[in-house]
Amino acid sequence: MANYRNKGGVAVIELNNPPVNALSFEVRSGLMNALKRAHDDKDVKCIVIHGKGKNFSAGADIKEFGGTKQQKPWITDACRLADESSKPVVAAIAGTALGGGLEVALFCHYRIGTPSCRVGFPEVQIGVLPGAGGTQRLPRLIGVKHSIDMITSGRHVMAEEALKLGILDKIVTDDIIEEGIQFAKSVVGIDVGGRILRNRKVEDAGSKVFDDEISRVKKKYKGYIAPLFCLKAIQASMQLPYDAGMEQELKLFQQLVSSGQAKAQQYTFFAERISARWQLPSGANSQTASPLPVKTAGVIGAGTMGAGIALCLITSGIPTVLVEQDQKFLEKGVKTVEGDLRGSVALKKMTAEQANKAISVLKTSVNLEDLHDVDLVIEAVYENLALKKEIFAKLDKICKSKTILCTNTSSLDIDTIAEATKRRDKVVGTHFFAPAYIMKLQENVYGKDTSAETVATVMALGKRIRKVPVLVGTCDSFVANRMLHPYATEALFLVEEGASPYEVDQALEDFGMPMGMFRVSDLSGLDIGYKVRKEAAKRRGIELTSDTRFVNGERVCLLANVLVEKGRLGIKSGKGWYNYGSPGKREATPDPEVLDTIEEYCRKYDIKKRKISSQEILERMQLAMINEGFKILEEGIVSKPEDIDIIWIYGFGWPKYMGGPMFYANEMKLKNVYRKIRDFHQNYPFSIHWTPSKLLARLSETDLPISKWTSLINSNSKL
Ligand code: CAA
């Protein structure tokens, strides 16, 4: 709703829908009525609109999209009287004015804001466009070029920049409502005609600007349709009179709202927030547990991962000690950190001053003892259980009793590592994804004794270092890599059966993955997987050679080992599944030598090859991984499907416009997913990953939407 009061001739209208004053039906109706009242009241000389609490408004209520709630009055109907009023209307902005919130402000004649306020049109990130005049009014205020930048990126613009652009008329430092009232009084009597945006003309930027922008947007936001629709709407502001432009904007908005991409992107928006609300089997959760303060941190291991993690910490202002056993490795790690900081400055992601500040809080050491005083340590050494246990035993003796000990292991058992210490409650997994400074996922893994306080601390740390933290339980390879395993295994089987690695990658990239499976393997280094496979086999008492095709009755494909043994380690050696010309180069070219190797391998084992469609490639890789996702849910390793989707979006770049693998399964209808998985199970009996998940079988009978799966899982703990 919207509150109304008359303060000495100033109508003060408060948008009231905490916490972010989303413009629900009630708020829009309330705003419309309040503006009418102010308009009709002869005592009122001017009008101020502000938001209740910390924010002006975060825009339309996303939950209403696609729902049954009444659409009218829309934001434009609610604000019509602000536009037409001869009494000056002032938007007084604190916190955020986003999307429809900024559109309300653009209907006002003046806008003032606090120094920390932010404005923007983030609609593109939820698959729509500013559909209440934003694409028509912003170009009339700040021109086409800046409007394209703001609307297609969805970025938040801080107060200072908003003032420079002309979105804000003034930045004020006292109480925003009082300032709004004073400002409104000061402009009474000044003709508002020149301030009404609908009356202004949009400068003609020419059609070439849009041609160039279409190419840029297609490349930068590959696969996303909303940015292209935004461009069309902005172009309409230049080509059409105001009213016709508004009609065009609404038409494009409605097309997007009903698109699958918008549905998926809005699901992702809420999934991220649902996933942040964690719960332990004990019942302790994000509402009940408080994090410990992390004022200083330590990182052990200055390799690619360790250096990347240290970079995340220092760029977030956390003084960090980077420890390596060997001075030469340590120096190499520091060089990596410095190089990445220089790169960020060159790309204008940070200023030279920020980079210097970050490096000034990095200390280095070759002595574990130097971690005696830190609040949290992240171990990021080679994936070897004995080594990790040794380090944790030492840390337990060296560190303060309150220090939290984290391991960046991607597969090893947290409980076994914790057993090396006398503080099992303070041991936790913090699994980062390569490159650690870039990838947003932080997969936090709790063990059976990890305390809620420890979990709260690493979840809060993740947010602080600008990651998306997700909590998972411990099991072999946790969630991300456990699901990756059947996905990657199927990729290799498909290659054995007749698809080339390049066809597999093409199918995945056409689907929207940033990189195909084989390109990712080359980037990570084929030798890493080689060593992990050897270690895992050793632990299980199995001997693996490139001739191994079955292990305990289970089909395996060790083609990647054949490549490693030929010296093809991926990008680092200039050759892997692709040819890169020379070591370290990134441009991947299909390599006939690899195709010959595959031919030879298949001949050797008498494997019949056939033509494989891209649909089969996608179905086999994705459904194998989705089936594993249901098993993970079934075992309670994660508490909700949204956790899995967020892991795939931020850990492996699953496209947000496809909403994550569990959402994708939901869209395919679970009975179809289950039927296909059962068929694959019949056709490929030697792959355990095709054994259908019991939870999937059960859910497929119910036709419940993804938002209801968690309640079914909780009500049927024994499935
Ligand atoms: N609609 C409905 N609910 C919203 C919302 C919106 N526009 N924006 C935020 N919320 C909800 C969140 O889901 C969350 O709910 P829970 O507490 O139940 O999880 C709550 O408000 C608080 O949000 P955050 O946890 O995200 O709080 P924050 O302080 O971290 O961030 C924010 C605040 C920057 C405003 C962020 O919420 C945000 O980016 N919101 C979305 C903004 C947006 O996309 N606006 C465009 C809407 S579409 C539109 O306006 C179309 C148009 O042209 C008319």
Side-chain angles (χ1 to χ4, degrees), residues 473-530:
T474 188
C475 63
D476 190 11
S477 300
F478 318 131
V479 175
N481 286 347
R482 178 170 158 185
M483 286 177 75
L484 195 63
H485 183 70
Y487 175 85
T489 304
E490 278 301 314
L492 288 162
F493 290 167
L494 284 157
V495 166
E496 269 188 355
E497 291 167 34
S500 78
Y502 318 118
E503 285 168 337
V504 170
D505 279 3
Q506 193 61 54
L508 294 169
E509 286 166 23
D510 288 348
F511 173 81
M513 299 302 287
M515 268 192 208
M517 221 286 298
F518 292 101
R519 267 153 67 99
V520 173
S521 308
D522 276 356
L523 186 65
S524 320
L526 301 190
D527 53 325
I528 309 277
Y530 184 87

Side-chain angles (χ1 to χ4, degrees), residues 19-20 22-23 55 57-63 65 74-75 96 98-101 103 118 121-123 125-126 128-133 156 253 269-270 273-274 277 463:
V20 295
L23 300 168
N55 292 298
S57 165
D61 187 339
I62 308 167
K63 288 191 184 112
F65 290 168
W74 181 230
I75 299 165
T96 51
L98 300 173
E103 284 166 316
R118 292 179 282 162
F121 282 123
E123 283 89 342
Q125 286 158 6
I126 52 163
V128 295
L129 55 74
H156 293 188
F253 177 73
F269 174 83
F270 289 115
R273 282 150 184 84
I274 291 170
R277 292 196 280 269
K463 264 200 130 175

Side-chain angles (χ1 to χ4, degrees), residues 282-297:
S282 65
N285 59 52
S286 44
Q287 308 297 314
T288 58
S290 305
L292 287 172
V294 177
K295 294 199 181 110
T296 52

Side-chain angles (χ1 to χ4, degrees), residues 280 309 376-380 383 388 392 404-418 423-433 441-451 454-459 461-462 469-475 478:
L280 288 173
I309 296 168
L376 177 142
V377 179
I378 302 177
E379 162 278 309
E383 200 72 342
K388 289 192 192 257
F392 272 70
I404 288 177
L405 306 182
C406 313
T407 168
N408 179 49
T409 178
S410 59
S411 60
L412 301 174
D413 184 41
I414 302 296
D415 293 328
T416 314
I417 297 173
R423 57 174 93 189
R424 295 201 298 254
D425 59 318
K426 292 198 165 48
V427 176
V428 67
T430 46
H431 178 206
F432 291 79
F433 288 71
L441 178 63
Q442 183 182 318
E443 188 181 31
N444 292 330
V445 192
Y446 65 88
K448 67 176 174 8
D449 296 317
T450 309
S451 70
T454 300
V455 170
T457 306
V458 290
M459 292 299 280
L461 178 77
V470 178
L471 185 67
V472 310
T474 188
C475 63
F478 318 131

